Amino acid sequence: MANNTNEQFEKVLAVCRDLFSKKLYDYGASWRIMRPQSLTDQIFIKAKRIRTLETGAENLVGEGINSELIGIVNYGIIALVQLELGYSDNCDITPDEAMVLYDKKANEALELMKKKNHDYNEAWRGMRTTSYTDLILTKIWRTKQIEELEGETKVSEGVDANYMDMINYAVFGLIKNGVA
């Protein structure tokens, strides 16, 4: 089953990467101006919308849960890039450089998922997709708290670990929703 999970994870990441690449063409690396806190808020907006849709609210925008999960994956990867590079006052990298950075962080998320999936023995498959949403929201609130503490925690993992978990939960949701 683990190899199947790895293949599914890679397929979902390819879907997310494809959309990221297309938006990069349209907008350039405009996200480079975003501070990590703003990216946390962007992920929050996506997760809150998913929760609203899961609770049966009318969908006036027309986009569904999967598009929001893809957004969480992509904003999570962007946030990891921003944590590494810092934010900029302009689009200071080329699309090719942005794709290299995207691939690096996506691969780091994949490698973490493989390790955790091994240790947790595919436990995510027995979870409800709504639990992924709740866990992403919890990770967002933890991230906001760590950001308020300016990264100075006593025992907790850092912001980057929370972004990785958000990415992985979103990918699990996309797999369970049939994207892979």
Side-chain angles (χ1 to χ4, degrees), residues 92-123:
D92 62 347
I93 59 175
T94 68
D96 288 342
E97 291 168 329
M99 291 308 304
V100 168
L101 292 165
Y102 182 96
D103 290 340
K104 176 185 173 193
K105 295 303 178 183
N107 190 56
E108 289 174 10
L110 172 64
E111 291 305 312
L112 177 65
M113 184 283 304
K114 287 178 181 178
K115 291 175 185 173
K116 285 188 172 186
N117 197 45
H118 173 270
D119 289 356
Y120 288 92
N121 195 26
E122 300 272 321

Side-chain angles (χ1 to χ4, degrees), residues 44-57:
F44 174 72
I45 291 167
K46 303 266 177 217
K48 285 293 285 185
R49 181 153 189 279
I50 292 168
R51 191 177 219 179
T52 299
L53 293 172
E54 288 172 344
T55 58

Side-chain angles (χ1 to χ4, degrees), residues 10-70:
E10 290 169 6
K11 183 177 178 186
V12 166
L13 282 178
V15 169
C16 296
R17 184 186 193 278
D18 181 61
L19 182 61
F20 179 85
S21 176
K22 289 175 180 170
K23 287 193 174 195
L24 190 61
Y25 175 84
D26 289 347
Y27 305 130
S30 58
W31 47 267
R32 284 289 294 131
I33 68 165
M34 295 182 81
R35 292 172 281 193
Q37 297 87 339
S38 297
L39 290 158
T40 302
D41 287 341
Q42 278 298 120
I43 297 168
F44 174 72
I45 291 167
K46 303 266 177 217
K48 285 293 285 185
R49 181 153 189 279
I50 292 168
R51 191 177 219 179
T52 299
L53 293 172
E54 288 172 344
T55 58
E58 184 179 4
N59 183 352
L60 298 178
V61 176
E63 293 180 349
I65 290 172
N66 286 347
S67 65
E68 301 298 349
L69 288 169
I70 291 169

